[in-house]
Amino acid sequence: MHDSELMARWRQGDAGGFEALVARWQGPVARFLGRFTGRPEVVPDLCQEVFLRLYHAGPRYREAGSFPAWLYRIAANVARDAGRRTRRAPEPLADREPPDRAAAVEDVCRRQELADHLRRAVADLPEPLRLVLVLRHDEGLGFEEMARLTGTPASTLKTRFAAALHRLRAVLERLGYGPEEITP
Amino acid sequence: MNCPDVRACLPALAYGDLGSAEVLKVEEHLAGCPECRRQWEGLRAVRRLLDAAPAPAVSVDVATVYRRAAERQARAARRWRRIACAACAGLAAVVALAVGLRLEVRVEAQQFVLRWGAPPAPPALPAPEAPIPAPSRAPDATEEQLRLLGELVQALAADARGRDDRQRQEIEALRRQVEEVQQQSEDAKRDVTALYQAQFPSGKGTQP
């Protein structure tokens, strides 16, 4: 059943419509929040808050709009509000010591370390770049749909997306991870 | 395509956002440019890392959503009740103040009138036509005023009589003077006639 049909059921008083939407979208929302905030430990609470706001905002949903774009807008606002409440000083990756290439590093630890570096690099991106990267990579939204969600022209979003990817590449190279070493 | 143009297209190429004609041009450039090829490999690696990042496992507790929504609605209802009570209390205070001060608020043409205190005396209405009531005993204060008025009228009347008497006396005096003058004139006339007759016994002279 399409999202708009589930919304219609819910607005007619069928709680099953709301619960079906929660079951369908809690994973993507959690993935979005995890990438957008860079803090996996706060994702469960933020996810709960997203669907609480969705519950209150349900009567204001316009059927002509895109449900995913509307939902991600709520999630982005929740993440921003959480970021305002708890300001985290970003760790400048440039100050971190590059891993000791000579030392023998277990494969699992290396991959975990690489994942942590990437997570922090994404979290340190400026919010406009981070938002378009997460929506394009994790949620697969097209630039036109993102333009409707953010109110920003699609051409600007494309530029931001390219800038975000190049920044991540440059950060990882500065940390000593060349393309041949970046194997998940 | 030159290097800056190709590097600008690499993110779109990594995510399949380029058209087939552009893809061919970019791949042709990459085949002959090591630096652009290195950047392209770096972007592909970033995408692989992003794909491999685990998504946090979350299970939203719907019952908690319903409970928190009900709590939020109850808080909002209590807030609105407090606001309504405060508004009613304020309105009651304003009404009590207006009544206590006998406040009058009126909007007229080109002016806003705000008045408090005792209202002005209403304009006197014309007395309705009614039969003359029977005279009744006036209160003491009215009797005193009437007595004073009576005395004043009498005084004025006496003054008028006095003036009238004086004028009659003056007129009488003038009348007597006129009579005396007339008498003197008669006497003088008789004397002149006697003298004439004495002078002209035959009556041949001019009569005076």
Side-chain angles (χ1 to χ4, degrees), chain A residues 28-94:
Chain A
V29 167
R31 186 172 57 231
F32 171 85
L33 290 171
R35 189 87 78 186
F36 194 65
T37 61
R39 298 165 56 201
E41 68 278 8
V42 303
V43 168
D45 289 339
L46 295 186
C47 210
Q48 197 79 24
E49 179 65 21
V50 167
F51 287 98
L52 177 62
R53 291 194 187 185
L54 174 69
Y55 184 85
H56 281 289
R60 295 195 297 273
Y61 173 70
R62 292 174 301 156
E63 290 185 11
S66 161
F67 179 82
W70 184 57
L71 182 60
Y72 285 125
R73 193 181 302 123
I74 294 175
N77 288 335
V78 168
R80 287 192 193 102
D81 292 344
R84 275 194 286 271
R85 283 195 297 270
T86 54
R87 288 287 178 200
R88 181 182 70 87
E91 300 172 37
L93 290 173

Side-chain angles (χ1 to χ4, degrees), chain B residues 66-90:
Chain B
Y66 292 152
R67 180 176 50 79
R68 288 179 61 187
E71 289 172 359
R72 194 177 288 188
Q73 284 178 346
R75 278 198 302 273
R78 281 195 298 271
R79 186 166 56 242
W80 279 113
R81 274 199 298 273
R82 279 196 294 269
I83 292 172
C85 287
C88 288

Side-chain angles (χ1 to χ4, degrees), chain B residues 77-147:
Chain B
R78 281 195 298 271
R79 186 166 56 242
W80 279 113
R81 274 199 298 273
R82 279 196 294 269
I83 292 172
C85 287
C88 288
L91 188 61
V94 168
V95 169
L97 196 64
V99 170
L101 292 178
R102 286 178 285 181
L103 197 64
E104 177 189 351
V105 179
R106 192 170 69 246
V107 177
E108 296 177 346
Q110 298 178 357
Q111 65 176 350
F112 173 77
V113 178
L114 176 66
R115 194 204 311 270
W116 62 87
L125 298 174
E129 291 187 8
I132 299 174
S136 59
R137 185 176 175 72
D140 292 342
T142 308
E143 279 186 343
E144 180 63 22
Q145 291 176 353
L146 289 174
R147 185 185 66 78

Side-chain angles (χ1 to χ4, degrees), chain A residues 58-138:
Chain A
R60 295 195 297 273
Y61 173 70
R62 292 174 301 156
E63 290 185 11
S66 161
F67 179 82
W70 184 57
L71 182 60
Y72 285 125
R73 193 181 302 123
I74 294 175
N77 288 335
V78 168
R80 287 192 193 102
D81 292 344
R84 275 194 286 271
R85 283 195 297 270
T86 54
R87 288 287 178 200
R88 181 182 70 87
E91 300 172 37
L93 290 173
D95 293 341
R96 293 171 68 86
E97 291 281 339
D100 187 354
R101 299 261 73 78
V105 179
E106 297 245 353
D107 229 21
V108 173
C109 294
R110 186 190 67 81
R111 282 202 291 270
Q112 182 61 46
E113 190 178 70
L114 193 54
D116 287 343
H117 284 309
L118 179 68
R119 180 175 55 80
R120 291 196 185 94
V122 171
D124 290 339
L125 286 174
E127 188 195 290
L129 272 62
R130 186 167 10 115
L131 180 63
V132 70
L133 174 71
V134 173
L135 290 176
R136 180 70 186 91
H137 177 89
D138 288 328

Side-chain angles (χ1 to χ4, degrees), chain B:
Chain B
M1 294 180 81
N2 55 24
C3 289
D5 293 338
V6 168
R7 290 174 193 177
C9 293
L10 291 179
L13 179 65
Y15 281 81
D17 293 333
L18 279 187
S20 53
E22 284 181 302
V23 169
L24 286 175
K25 289 180 184 176
V26 170
E27 286 178 344
E28 185 181 335
H29 179 91
L30 289 175
C33 181
E35 184 54 35
C36 289
R37 195 162 55 246
R38 181 173 175 75
Q39 286 203 12
W40 163 240
E41 294 299 332
L43 287 175
R44 287 180 64 194
V46 168
R47 173 149 194 193
R48 284 199 300 272
L49 269 180
L50 289 173
D51 286 338
V58 167
S59 177
V60 174
D61 185 359
V62 179
T64 302
V65 171
Y66 292 152
R67 180 176 50 79
R68 288 179 61 187
E71 289 172 359
R72 194 177 288 188
Q73 284 178 346
R75 278 198 302 273
R78 281 195 298 271
R79 186 166 56 242
W80 279 113
R81 274 199 298 273
R82 279 196 294 269
I83 292 172
C85 287
C88 288
L91 188 61
V94 168
V95 169
L97 196 64
V99 170
L101 292 178
R102 286 178 285 181
L103 197 64
E104 177 189 351
V105 179
R106 192 170 69 246
V107 177
E108 296 177 346
Q110 298 178 357
Q111 65 176 350
F112 173 77
V113 178
L114 176 66
R115 194 204 311 270
W116 62 87
L125 298 174
E129 291 187 8
I132 299 174
S136 59
R137 185 176 175 72
D140 292 342
T142 308
E143 279 186 343
E144 180 63 22
Q145 291 176 353
L146 289 174
R147 185 185 66 78
L148 290 174
L149 281 174
E151 289 178 356
L152 180 60
V153 169
Q154 289 174 3
L156 289 173
D159 184 49
R161 277 197 301 274
R163 279 190 273 114
D164 288 344
D165 290 341
R166 283 194 296 277
Q167 285 178 350
R168 273 197 296 273
Q169 290 171 3
E170 289 174 0
I171 292 170
E172 184 65 25
L174 285 172
R175 189 182 64 77
R176 282 198 298 271
Q177 287 178 2
V178 167
E179 287 178 353
E180 289 175 2
V181 169
Q182 284 178 347
Q183 184 64 43
Q184 290 174 1
S185 173
E186 291 293 331
D187 291 340
K189 186 176 179 182
R190 271 198 308 274
D191 289 340
V192 169
T193 301
L195 287 173
Y196 180 74
Q197 288 176 352
Q199 188 72 23
F200 302 97
S202 61
K204 290 184 178 181
T206 304
Q207 285 282 350

